[in-house]
């Protein structure tokens, strides 16, 4: 059985999140390489009115958002970082205090998540905007929203004002939810097979109704990475293993290979020892997700279907658009309010089931 904290110890470790986050912002974050601050520097220039050159819609929207909420007239990265670290740490603490039982391994995972959040979220950043969208979805579900389809409105809004690929994430999320909820004898393999068949047929249809969109999609990995191949900052870049000359079959094979590489990033070991914490984090995340998904489907825990659909819907599309492992985990950590809810709730059920069997 998973070891669980005593309630007092659990509360202590949760409250320590604020202290640990402030320490990270003071002593660790300023020592990160410049590549961790490229996006924030661009957004800050928009907020300060010193931007020049081209910025895409996600930068412009984020810059306008922070300009509107800039009631303290902040002008530096550190001012924003300290304020957002304190606010988001307190929000995370309130979120975690509602859980009665957290396992030791999940608490370690929570602290790894907080470390990543300090590196990518607790600052002026596009990732913070993503987090806010996930929080809105989380609150809708927590308040009893059983119908998942209103969430499409949020995906559409985010696609319009932030990142276009959120349209696709919304569609895939609803597809996964439908496959989970409508089948009588579902399992993970069956859902993967059905999803693959539907995606393949969708590509065939796209080829016939919009050849230009089809060709763009098939060459997306090349287009995303073409200006990054020689960059020192793109050390964890993901390129297709098989050259594609327009074949939908080769595209699907490359997609599956890249998806496996992303969720099981063992190859990062060859990039240096500093990537080991990222590997451990990703492996714990995906192995827990697979175990929990299998349990939820088998036991027909329908209230968790939407959580699983949101996570895998995001991962499915991120596999197409993320250029490297670093980008994947940076955006993936924005989902922490979704997957921590799933992990902690399900593992609490496992503990209760174990204790019930032990009594009998």
């Amino acid at each position: 059985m998973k070891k669980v904290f005593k309630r007092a110890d659990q509360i202590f470790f949760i409250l320590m999140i604020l202290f640990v986050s402030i320490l990270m912002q003071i002593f660790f974050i300023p020592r990160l390489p410049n590549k961790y601050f490229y996006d924030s520097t661009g957004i800050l220039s928009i907020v300060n009115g010193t931007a020049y050159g081209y910025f895409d819609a996600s930068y412009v929207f984020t810059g306008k958002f922070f300009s509107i909420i800039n009631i303290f007239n902040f002008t530096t990265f550190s001012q924003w970082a300290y304020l957002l670290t304190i606010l988001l740490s307190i929000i995370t603490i309130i979120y975690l205090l509602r859980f009665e039982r957290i396992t030791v391994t999940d608490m370690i995972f929570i602290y790894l998540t907080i470390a990543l959040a300090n590196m990518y979220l607790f600052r002026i950043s596009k990732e913070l905007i993503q987090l806010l969208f996930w929080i809105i979805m989380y609150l809708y579900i927590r308040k009893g929203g059983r119908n998942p389809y209103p969430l499409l409105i949020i995906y559409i809004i985010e696609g319009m004002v932030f990142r276009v690929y959120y349209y696709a994430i919304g569609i895939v999320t609803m597809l996964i939810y439908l496959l989970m909820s409508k089948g009588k004898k579902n399992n993970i393999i069956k859902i993967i097979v059905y999803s693959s068949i539907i995606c393949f047929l969708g590509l065939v249809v796209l080829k016939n109704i919009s050849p230009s969109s089809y060709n763009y999609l098939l060459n997306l990995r090349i287009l995303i990475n073409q200006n990054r191949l020689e960059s020192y900052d793109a050390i964890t870049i993901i390129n297709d293993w098989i050259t594609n000359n327009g074949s939908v079959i080769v595209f699907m094979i490359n997609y599956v290979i890249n998806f496996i590489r992303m969720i099981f990033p063992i190859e990062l070991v060859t990039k240096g020892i500093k990537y080991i914490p990222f590997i451990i984090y990703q492996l714990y995340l995906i192995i827990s997700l697979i175990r929990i998904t299998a349990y939820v489907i088998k036991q027909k825990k329908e209230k968790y279907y939407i959580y699983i659909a949101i996570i895998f819907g995001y991962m499915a599309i991120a596999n197409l658009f993320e250029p490297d492992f670093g980008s994947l985990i940076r955006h993936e950590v924005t989902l922490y309010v979704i997957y921590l809810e799933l992990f902690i709730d399900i593992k609490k059920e496992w503990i209760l089931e174990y204790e019930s069997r032990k009594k009998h």
Side-chain angles (χ1 to χ4, degrees), residues 110-218:
I110 287 169
Y111 267 80
L112 285 173
T113 300
I114 294 302
L116 291 171
N118 273 276
M119 293 168 63
Y120 298 123
L121 297 183
F122 296 175
R123 62 172 67 172
I124 184 169
S125 65
K126 293 186 291 183
E127 285 68 42
L128 179 60
I129 304 297
Q130 284 186 313
L131 174 63
L132 295 178
F133 279 108
W134 298 129
I135 288 175
I136 293 170
M137 292 188 186
Y138 166 77
L139 291 174
Y140 168 77
I141 299 168
R142 281 291 305 167
K143 294 298 182 181
R146 294 293 179 228
N147 185 349
Y149 302 110
L151 297 180
L152 273 173
I153 298 172
I154 301 174
Y155 283 115
I156 291 169
I157 293 172
E158 191 164 8
M160 290 171 60
V161 303
F162 196 52
R163 287 191 170 111
V164 174
Y165 62 73
Y166 273 84
Y167 293 129
I169 294 175
I171 293 170
V172 173
T173 297
M174 293 304 123
L175 171 63
I176 294 172
Y177 178 83
L178 279 172
L179 290 173
M180 292 180 70
S181 59
K182 298 303 180 182
K184 293 182 179 180
K185 295 182 179 181
N186 274 332
N187 56 57
I188 293 179
I189 301 300
K190 187 183 292 186
I191 290 172
I192 292 173
V193 171
Y194 286 163
S195 299
S196 300
I197 292 171
I198 293 171
C199 289
F200 177 80
L201 294 175
L203 286 170
V204 173
V205 172
L206 183 64
K207 182 178 182 179
N208 287 282
I209 64 174
S210 181
S212 61
S213 298
Y214 171 82
N215 289 326
Y216 173 80
L217 187 60
L218 259 62

